Amino acid sequence: MNVFSEAAIVELGAFARWLAQSDVRGVVVRSGKSSAFCAGADLTELGVAYDMIMAKPAHARFNAAYDHFFRLSLAIRALESCGKPVASAIAGLALGGGCELALGTHYRVLTNDPRAALGLPESLVGLLPGGGGTQRLPRLIGVERALPVLLEGARLSGTAALEGGLVDALVAPGEEVAAAESWLLSTPTAQQPWDRADWKDPLPLEVSKLLGPVRERVLAETLGHYPAPLAILDCVEFGLPQCFDGAIRSEMAIFSHLIQRAEARNMIQTLFLGRTDHDRMAKSGERPAFIADFVTTMKSVLEEASPSDELLATLGFTRPGLPSVPALRRSAGAGYWLDQSDPDPRRLPALALMQRLSQAVLPLTFDLTAEQLRMADYAVVRELGYPAYLGGPAAFGQRESSAP
């Protein structure tokens, strides 16, 4: 599928700058592939960028992250403010950065195909949409409709996307480019709603009041273990009352803090890269022995340790029947809750359990590649409900072994 590689981001920015000076009437953005419009960021390159940022001194990491990742947001902003009408013809998936690119066009045509959908799934891998997604989507379709897309990775397609105001036209497959060209030839206004003189930003108190109950629900569901949903709410709350150019800078500031967190790296490694490798191997009908060994060992240790349901719920295990427990912290503080000097009597037993699980699989890790470890961690997360924000027992064990 098309993804936003480093090269693609650079070329998009160069194209937007050229377009502003050109004499073309307008532009249609379309995919050259039938599989998708654009499936978002190249998460392999994202992992490389994470390593680059974290290799820098602590005081330099924020600026390194901001300068590296803000380029996509700037490129999309340059495209939508270039003075020329831009339409997108969407056949297939438009996810993450691909959805943000579509949102940055002035007119969106979507094919009436269930496989054609728009979504912002970044929260599912511990991140937030950093290409303007937290700002354009709620401005376009309203905060209440935008939150399931931003927080839960919901996708909109077909009539739902049209009636929700996410796209402007719904056509049969194969007609999307012609429909987009027809709009361009109608001499439309090349301006986004939020750039028009009659646009009114909501008041800060209005946005905070609307998001207050949502924040409480997110804290109840995540216990504060997952920083991405809280960061997304911060983006919406701080960004919507601002002018758009200020809003995308606030979004990137929040993203630049979030990308430095271990939870994001863990979830990318396990829930995306590990899952991709695992599912590709599963299609062959073979389950590698090392994956079965990981799962079996984890089951055995959990049975021997016999932790209480409350302790498992506190750690963020996902399995049926676990009780609800109060949020452990009101905001995403630095590091894991497990590592804090917290007086909560559950913290030390919780840390001891996770260390025991990692130590149990340690002998199984010595001959495995990083790819195989990711697959094993994913299997444990999927089958045993191990907390995804910790990455899996191998990832947690590696973190333990690298601690000073």
Side-chain angles (χ1 to χ4, degrees):
M1 290 188 180
N2 291 326
V3 294
F4 261 123
S5 63
E6 293 291 324
I9 293 170
V10 171
E11 289 177 2
L12 178 63
F15 176 79
R17 291 189 294 273
W18 169 84
L19 182 59
Q21 305 298 321
S22 74
D23 58 359
V24 301
R25 291 186 59 179
V27 169
V28 175
V29 183
R30 55 161 294 188
S31 171
K33 296 183 177 180
S34 60
S35 56
F37 178 78
C38 179
D42 184 328
L43 292 184
T44 301
E45 288 190 1
L46 193 66
V48 174
Y50 174 90
D51 291 338
M52 176 272 292
I53 292 164
M54 298 308 291
K56 294 185 177 295
H59 72 273
R61 291 172 187 165
F62 174 86
N63 285 339
Y66 193 103
D67 293 343
H68 182 83
F69 289 107
F70 196 43
R71 294 173 303 159
L72 176 59
S73 193
L74 285 174
I76 296 174
R77 183 63 175 150
L79 188 69
E80 74 177 359
S81 60
C82 71
K84 307 288 172 56
V86 182
S88 49
I90 306 164
L93 295 174
L95 301 178
C99 180
E100 290 175 303
L101 173 59
L103 293 174
T105 62
H106 305 107
Y107 190 80
R108 288 163 295 281
V109 180
L110 179 69
T111 61
N112 190 13
D113 180 336
R115 295 169 294 181
L118 293 92
L120 296 168
E122 284 86 349
S123 66
L124 303 181
V125 290
L127 290 173
L128 62 86
T134 68
Q135 303 308 308
R136 288 187 181 87
L137 188 67
R139 282 172 168 82
L140 190 65
I141 68 175
V143 174
E144 292 182 352
R145 284 179 172 171
L147 288 178
V149 180
L150 291 169
L151 296 174
E152 302 162 20
R155 300 178 183 181
L156 292 177
S157 62
T159 303
L162 180 65
E163 293 179 350
L166 186 57
V167 299
D168 301 285
L170 193 64
V171 300
E175 298 178 4
E176 65 276 4
V177 174
E181 289 176 343
S182 176
W183 176 81
L184 288 176
L185 295 173
S186 69
T187 317
T189 300
Q191 196 173 41
Q192 296 283 32
W194 43 87
D195 287 328
R196 296 171 187 163
D198 60 351
W199 177 265
K200 291 185 179 180
D201 298 311
L203 296 174
L205 287 179
E206 292 176 353
V207 182
S208 297
K209 183 177 180 181
L210 179 62
L211 294 182
V214 181
R215 193 177 294 273
E216 291 301 317
R217 174 176 59 81
V218 167
L219 282 168
E221 293 173 353
T222 68
L223 308 182
H225 288 316
Y226 292 83
L230 298 174
I232 288 170
L233 292 176
D234 287 344
C235 286
V236 176
E237 184 168 4
F238 300 148
L240 289 192
Q242 297 187 56
C243 69
F244 194 82
D245 288 300
I248 58 174
R249 283 162 173 81
S250 290
E251 176 190 78
M252 183 47 55
I254 295 169
F255 180 94
S256 298
H257 285 296
L258 182 65
I259 190 64
Q260 298 179 52
R261 297 189 63 106
E263 295 93 340
R265 177 171 176 79
N266 289 341
M267 294 173 72
I268 291 170
Q269 291 287 319
T270 301
L271 296 183
F272 179 76
L273 299 177
R275 177 181 180 177
T276 301
D277 295 337
H278 177 280
D279 290 352
R280 182 171 58 245
M281 189 166 289
K283 287 181 180 179
S284 67
E286 298 179 1
R287 183 181 177 89
F290 69 86
I291 293 180
D293 290 343
F294 255 70
V295 174
T296 301
T297 299
M298 286 286 292
K299 281 183 179 178
S300 176
V301 176
L302 282 170
E303 290 172 0
E304 291 173 5
S306 190
S308 68
D309 286 349
E310 182 185 12
L311 186 62
L312 292 176
T314 298
L315 278 162
F317 273 79
T318 55
R319 57 173 61 178
L322 293 182
S324 297
V325 296
L328 297 165
R329 47 187 180 181
R330 303 294 303 171
S331 61
Y336 302 135
W337 169 75
L338 288 169
D339 294 331
Q340 308 305 304
S341 55
D342 194 312
D344 190 322
R346 296 170 295 180
R347 190 182 67 82
L348 291 180
L351 179 59
L353 175 63
M354 304 315 280
Q355 290 172 331
R356 180 174 176 178
L357 293 173
S358 291
Q359 290 166 0
V361 299
L362 181 61
L364 305 176
T365 67
F366 295 139
D367 297 325
L368 298 182
T369 65
E371 178 184 277
Q372 291 170 326
L373 289 175
R374 291 195 300 258
M375 286 190 281
D377 273 342
Y378 169 68
V380 170
V381 169
R382 186 189 68 172
E383 297 178 30
L384 302 182
Y386 188 99
Y389 70 93
L390 295 175
F396 191 77
Q398 290 172 342
R399 161 259 188 199
E400 287 283 296
S401 64
S402 62

